[in-house]
């Protein structure tokens, strides 16, 4: 447990997606600090979608923050009152036009921990199949491709895939799939198997 103490906390900016906090705190040495950080209104879901050939869906999304396109996996916010699995299933359909009856929760990870409280629930969807057209017209998504883990590692090494959240989700899936192939289990808090419908 930390010795840090919160003296006051104020939300200085808020949208339907995020809150920006400004807290006055005392650190572990008792020194006063102003600590500003972002918090999501609702957590996000990241989906590693694997087809019957064992390849993973990547697509390119335009990210205004970096003024460039980024290779990503399907992802999005959980709606208020929505379960993480339902959000993952919805996002996979909205962004990829894909469905799966074989889902695995890989647990919850946290992004930008130095400047934010930004949780992401990671799901593995195996044996995905095309159900229809991607439905999310608000997203600027292009160039869907199913690629191998070997190709993904080359993309990371070459700087073509630079989103750290996507890398984390992919690595969580890789560990699970490698252990499953060996017939083993990885001890991971928060991971659970979801019964097929």
């Amino acid at each position: 447990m930390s010795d840090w103490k919160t003296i006051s906390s104020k939300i200085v900016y808020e949208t339907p997606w995020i809150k920006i906090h400004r807290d006055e705190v005392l650190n572990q040495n008792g020194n006063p600090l102003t600590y500003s950080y972002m918090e999501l209104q609702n957590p996000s879901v990241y989906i590693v979608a694997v087809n019957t050939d064992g390849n993973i869906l990547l697509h390119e999304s335009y990210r205004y923050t970096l003024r460039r396109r980024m290779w990503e996996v399907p992802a999005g916010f959980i709606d208020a009152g929505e379960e993480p699995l339902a959000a993952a299933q919805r996002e996979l359909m909205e962004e990829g036009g894909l469905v799966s009856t074989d889902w695995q929760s890989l647990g919850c990870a946290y992004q930008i921990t130095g400047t934010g409280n930004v949780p992401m629930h990671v799901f593995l969807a195996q044996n995905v199949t095309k159900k229809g057209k991607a439905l999310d017209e608000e997203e600027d998504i292009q160039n869907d491709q199913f690629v191998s883990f070997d190709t993904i590692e080359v993309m990371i090494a070459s700087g073509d895939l630079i989103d750290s959240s996507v890398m984390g989700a992919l690595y969580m899936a890789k560990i699970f799939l490698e252990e499953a192939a060996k017939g083993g289990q990885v001890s991971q808090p928060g991971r659970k198997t979801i019964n097929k419908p």
Side-chain angles (χ1 to χ4, degrees), residues 60-64 66-70 139-141:
E60 287 186 304
S61 295
Y62 183 76
R63 292 302 175 193
Y64 179 78
L66 298 183
R67 312 299 199 271
R68 61 169 288 181
R69 293 197 168 276
M70 311 272 291
E139 298 277 359
D140 187 356
I141 296 173

Side-chain angles (χ1 to χ4, degrees), residues 51-68:
N51 66 12
T52 53
D53 295 325
N55 293 327
I56 298 103
L57 175 67
L58 294 181
H59 55 225
E60 287 186 304
S61 295
Y62 183 76
R63 292 302 175 193
Y64 179 78
T65 47
L66 298 183
R67 312 299 199 271
R68 61 169 288 181

Side-chain angles (χ1 to χ4, degrees), residues 5-185:
K5 293 180 182 176
T6 304
I7 306 303
S8 66
S9 183
K10 182 179 181 181
I11 296 171
V12 295
Y13 180 73
E14 185 172 5
T15 75
W17 299 277
I18 64 170
K19 296 178 186 177
I20 304 296
H21 295 258
R22 185 174 64 219
D23 291 5
E24 300 302 327
V25 305
L26 298 177
N27 70 7
Q28 75 279 10
N29 297 318
N31 295 326
L33 295 173
T34 299
Y35 208 108
S36 298
Y37 64 96
M38 180 181 77
E39 179 183 16
L40 291 184
Q41 297 279 21
N42 295 298
S44 60
V45 289
Y46 280 66
I47 304 98
V48 179
V50 182
N51 66 12
T52 53
D53 295 325
N55 293 327
I56 298 103
L57 175 67
L58 294 181
H59 55 225
E60 287 186 304
S61 295
Y62 183 76
R63 292 302 175 193
Y64 179 78
T65 47
L66 298 183
R67 312 299 199 271
R68 61 169 288 181
R69 293 197 168 276
M70 311 272 291
W71 285 106
E72 299 180 352
V73 297
F77 290 114
I78 300 172
D79 290 339
E82 189 177 32
E83 291 297 319
L85 173 59
Q89 292 169 332
R90 174 179 53 74
E91 288 292 343
L92 183 61
M93 184 62 203
E94 286 179 357
E95 295 192 1
L98 298 169
V99 294
S100 171
T101 58
D102 189 356
W103 287 86
Q104 174 76 34
S105 170
L106 300 180
C108 186
Y110 287 81
Q111 309 164 71
I112 60 169
T113 54
T115 56
N117 181 357
V118 185
M120 57 183 254
H121 294 270
V122 181
F123 288 89
L124 174 65
Q126 298 186 79
N127 302 311
V128 297
T129 56
K130 198 73 175 174
K131 179 73 172 178
K133 183 181 175 184
L135 304 174
D136 195 340
E137 297 179 354
E138 297 299 317
E139 298 277 359
D140 187 356
I141 296 173
Q142 298 180 9
N143 200 14
D144 285 353
Q145 293 186 30
F146 280 93
V147 300
S148 68
F149 269 118
D150 287 345
T151 298
I152 286 169
E153 289 177 350
V154 170
M155 293 171 72
I156 293 170
S158 66
D160 289 327
L161 196 163
I162 62 169
D163 187 312
S164 62
S165 302
V166 172
M167 291 184 217
L170 289 166
Y171 192 58
M172 291 167 77
K174 186 170 193 265
I175 292 170
F176 175 85
L177 290 169
E178 287 176 349
E179 289 300 314
K182 297 176 193 172
Q185 279 286 2

